[in-house]
Amino acid sequence: FQSLEDVGKEKNFVFLSKKIEPSSVLETAPLFDGLKKELAWNKFSGPTFTQSYCWPPVAGGCDVVAISHQGNDPLLYIPPVLTLLQESDYQALPNMSGVSLILCPGWKKAQLVFDLLKTYRKGCRHLHPMLITLGQNKEAANQMEIRGCEVVVTTPYNLLRLLEHNSGLLYRLCHLVLDEIEVLFSDTSEQVFTILDCYKKATAQAQGSLPHQIIAVGTQWNKHITPLIKEFMNDPHIVITAIEEAAIFGNVQQVVQPCMNSNRTAELLKILDFTQRNLQKVLVFTDSVTEVEMIHKALKSNSVVSLKKHKESKCNAKCVLERWRKMHSSGTPAVLVLTDDCLHSLGITDATWVIHFSFPSPAVFGQRLQSMSDNFCPGIKDSAVDQKDMKAKSVILLTENSSCHAPEIFYYLKHAEAEIPEELYDLTVKVQESEEDEKFSRPLCASLKTFGICRNRTECPDRHQINLSIDMAQNIAAEMIETPERVTILPLFIVHATKYFGRIVRKQKDQYTALAKEMNDYFRVPGHRISVSTVEKSVFYGLREGAICHRVQVVETPAEDEENVCKVTIKYIDEGRTSQVNSDQLLHLPVKFQSLPPQAVEIIVCRVKPIDNEVEWNPKVTDHINHKIKGKVHHAKVVHTLGKTVWVDPMVGVTHLPTMRMWINEYNIRSEILSTGLGTDNPEHVGEIQKLCTQIPVVDHGQSLEPFTKEDTADLEEVSSPQDPSIQENFAESCNSPKMFLDVFFSDGVVQTKETEDSTVHQQKGCHPPVKWFQDDVSVTLKVQILRATDSRCEFCREKVTFSAYSEGKLYVADLELYQSVMAEKSTCVIKDTEAVILLVKEKKGTWCKLLKNKNVHVSLDFECWEESEDERPFTVG
């Protein structure tokens, strides 16, 4: 170890497998002169502590593993790698294409690295970086050629797709960089080792004396780094500036000892009894002066010789340190009880045991482990380190009061592959549940809505459970979704490939069309355009953009002391987008224009997600979808609603044929995304959303109502016109004349026409289950005959009950219009193994002469349950 090296004003920790002279000043760093000027020009403030140790071995062509809290910074390796490429040895090569390869964990990090290379290539000769994003289209990989680029940036999945068609790429590869190594090995270890195997074979067969270098940087040590070093690297330099990660690399034994808070001292005495027999050098850490005094007194009364140190101690640090070391050298067990703030002044690095009497926060945990750094035992040469060779040991006393930092310590111990007691698991779960409850007023997680899953709930700032007061407060008005099986959608703001904001356009008379025309006419008069003097948050205003007027809401205003700032953040309440405008652009909006609720709805396309386990859509997909759908009429089926969010599947772009007075399906958005090669199937999406919403005591529209029949689709529609002048002409052409739907029904990526109409209608409507019924004076009981029902929905209205469910892969729907009224709020539905039992509470007591207004062949009287007196007349079966 080279610990406590001075670089700048602060002292830092660093572990080095070999001695390195740090380059702490840019002027003397081992970089190309042109690159130094470019770094200075871009106001580079480094090198940082970690960079000062990484740059020299990388620039020297050595294999390097660097682990640091700043290990996700590409500037740990970009400057020295670019410097290597300026050397004359490379310039003499006949083909420098692809001599350096940077593997990143995802497209977003790859884009960042690529942008940095473009920024700093100005200081280098003939540097042409290349970013490769192939997707799953084999034709694209087949046509990909790497010419004239010295540095290739890509991801493991993309590289493997490329190597299928261009296996010769690795034969001229000199520098392989693994960026964010812990993420690469956690998510794509199989792919990375496949690439490393190919690279190893390619270097063995390569002709000439090309240099070969592997650089791995990251924020955490990973168990896969050991085989990387042993099998693929040549005596690498290991640089670790994160003490917690050095402790894992150094095989510090981590032990968690559960005990009651009142029993901590007794537990401590048991531990010290063992350490005394083995002459260990022990530090007992706590976070208060009172506890130091209490522990010291307890040890003394139990004949344990110990020293104490805290900020109120009379004895200075030097005195305590000398006495502690003399105790050990004389054969007396050395025990020092201290507070965390005293460790730095003592500078202890040779302790063998650390006992955490007070549960550590992540910040002090590393400091405490650093006091044992001289006894870390790196286990690279052997496949495993024997427990008897593990000199350093960390013991954490876990009590019922240790909840504050339990999750952080839990994840560190899990990362260190330590044995974790059940008590720590339980405590972590409780803390995380509490943290989730604290997020209850936050927005619903965007990833959860978009893909049905959130990869990292502990780090995500948003909530992952339903909050009825938020999610249902501004529910979509029922009249906006008159027929969920086919709504007309106008996407106006594209967030990403599967999330948009826009309007659901009413089929009969769209209120927004009339409002927009009236607003435009009103604000066309100069005297009506009254600027607002004082802007208030959450208030509605008018905003003119050219000839178009929008309704907007102020969501953020400047701070009071920023008098010169006149920018305000607004949301276009009928489109969903936000922007910043000058406050004097906002106009007073008459009350008559505020009565219509905001029309913007969040629209999410279901069952598709990015490839390669990416968490965000590649901009290529978003740009393609944006160009394809913005401002154009689409038809969609609503499968779920929550608040102002609708999930649709499918969503189809439609084209109007005015001469034939009909619509045809032009494209399916989901299929369009899949065709880019950058999206893949996400079959669990809708199920996860429905599971999330099971606690909501309402039935979602898309699952409970019957779909359109052929007669429904022939109705005329009136669609509101978009306000964007660039799309208005197209829209007007397709919407101003009478029209009907072509007999085309939704199918994923397939246009179905009249020939398949009958079968399609049957599939869309579902089967009607057999229903038996009986009654008494107070209630009516319906038995819906359905086996092992799943995804069941039951909606009660005053004169109607709607039931739907899946059974053995088929959808069953019963939409029953009742003969008399019931009390919807008191009616219930219970799902059993062979049937669903629906209890309808009558609004007025008495006997019904029949169940339904109209006869239904699937509904019959349940004679087994019917109890009829002799003088009662027979009932008509509904």
Side-chain angles (χ1 to χ4, degrees), residues 121-136:
R121 69 179 177 180
K122 299 168 187 175
C124 307
R125 299 192 305 270
H126 314 299
L127 182 68
H128 304 285
M130 184 176 187
L131 176 64
I132 295 179
T133 307
L134 287 174
Q136 294 178 327

Side-chain angles (χ1 to χ4, degrees), residues 446 448-451 476 480-481 484 487-505 571 573-577 599-608 617 622 625 629-653 669-670 673 685 689:
L448 192 62
K449 290 197 289 186
T450 307
F451 304 122
I476 298 170
M480 290 178 70
I481 307 181
V487 296
T488 301
I489 286 178
L490 191 65
L492 298 169
F493 173 57
I494 313 304
V495 180
H496 55 64
T498 54
K499 176 180 173 179
Y500 331 121
F501 284 93
R503 289 200 298 274
I504 295 177
V505 182
K571 180 177 182 178
I573 62 172
D574 301 309
E575 295 185 13
R577 62 189 169 106
Q599 298 294 289
V601 172
E602 183 183 32
I603 304 152
I604 296 174
V605 174
C606 298
R607 292 192 305 116
V608 62
W617 284 109
T622 299
I625 295 300
I629 75 170
K630 185 176 179 180
K632 298 177 183 176
V633 181
H634 291 74
H635 292 154
K637 175 184 175 182
V638 177
V639 296
H640 214 88
T641 65
L642 181 65
K644 298 286 279 186
T645 301
V646 294
W647 284 266
V648 295
D649 184 26
M651 179 171 167
V652 179
I669 290 181
R670 180 175 177 274
I673 293 171
H685 187 185
I689 298 302

Side-chain angles (χ1 to χ4, degrees), residues 389-421:
D389 296 327
M390 298 168 70
K391 297 179 182 177
K393 190 168 185 176
S394 164
V395 182
I396 302 172
L397 297 185
L398 176 71
T399 73
E400 69 276 16
N401 298 334
S402 302
S403 59
C404 186
H405 300 290
E408 295 96 323
I409 299 301
F410 168 80
Y411 285 114
Y412 174 77
L413 296 174
K414 189 176 179 182
H415 164 50
E417 298 185 334
E419 186 175 336
I420 302 174

Side-chain angles (χ1 to χ4, degrees), residues 660-687:
M660 300 178 68
R661 299 173 61 204
M662 61 178 60
W663 295 94
I664 63 169
N665 293 1
E666 185 180 347
Y667 56 84
N668 181 313
I669 290 181
R670 180 175 177 274
S671 301
E672 197 73 23
I673 293 171
L674 294 173
S675 69
T676 65
L678 297 171
T680 189
D681 191 35
N682 184 12
E684 297 86 12
H685 187 185
V686 178

